């Protein structure tokens, strides 16, 4: 009942920047939090950054100072501005939201993933 559509992935050189976007739609009563996760081949999916309804944010240590997460509540959209990209940032990036679909039911929903490749 909740769909996430991601955009903005691609190929960039080390030191470059990308901006990812993710728009949530469907039967959304309210959004508790939105975030970005990433997974490289052979690795587990790891948290990159999250932002909750109170605009509190948290980042993985590996991206602090380089990535910025933000959201547009009116559009149910979350963004990830990625600067000073490193080859280690190469992964499939997944958008996530924890959302209520009615007064009492909530769940975690995932986008399809978007590839970010950083070349040296």
């Amino acid at each position: 009942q909740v769909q996430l559509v991601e955009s903005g992935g691609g190929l960039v050189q080390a030191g470059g920047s990308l901006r990812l976007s993710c728009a949530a739609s469907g039967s959304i009563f309210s959004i508790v939090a939105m975030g970005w996760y990433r997974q490289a081949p052979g690795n587990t999916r790891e948290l990159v950054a999250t932002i909750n309804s109170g605009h509190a944010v948290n980042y993985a240590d590996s991206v602090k100072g380089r990535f910025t997460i933000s959201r547009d509540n009116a559009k149910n959209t979350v963004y990830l501005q990625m600067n000073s990209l490193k080859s280690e940032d190469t992964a499939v990036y997944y958008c996530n939201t924890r959302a209520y679909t009615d007064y009492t039911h909530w769940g975690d929903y995932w986008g399809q993933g978007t590839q970010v490749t950083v070349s040296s």
Side-chain angles (χ1 to χ4, degrees), residues 15-82:
S17 298
L18 280 176
R19 185 174 186 252
L20 306 183
S21 299
C22 173
S25 62
S27 301
I28 300 173
F29 177 74
S30 65
I31 292 178
V32 178
M34 301 187 78
W36 293 93
Y37 296 72
R38 67 187 182 186
Q39 186 170 15
N43 293 342
T44 58
R45 190 171 299 185
E46 64 178 0
L47 182 148
V48 177
T50 61
I51 182 167
N52 68 14
S53 59
H55 299 104
V57 300
N58 71 295
Y59 297 94
D61 288 340
S62 59
V63 306
K64 287 181 179 177
R66 300 188 298 119
F67 291 9
T68 302
I69 189 170
S70 61
R71 65 188 290 182
D72 184 333
N73 292 333
K75 297 180 179 180
N76 288 333
T77 299
V78 64
Y79 306 93
L80 185 68
Q81 179 67 46
M82 304 185 293

Side-chain angles (χ1 to χ4, degrees), residues 95-119:
C95 179
N96 164 267
T97 184
R98 177 165 291 182
Y100 279 85
T101 54
D102 57 33
Y103 291 101
T104 59
H105 295 88
W106 62 268
D108 290 322
Y109 304 91
W110 295 90
Q112 80 287 351
T114 184
Q115 178 70 47
V116 172
T117 302
V118 183
S119 63

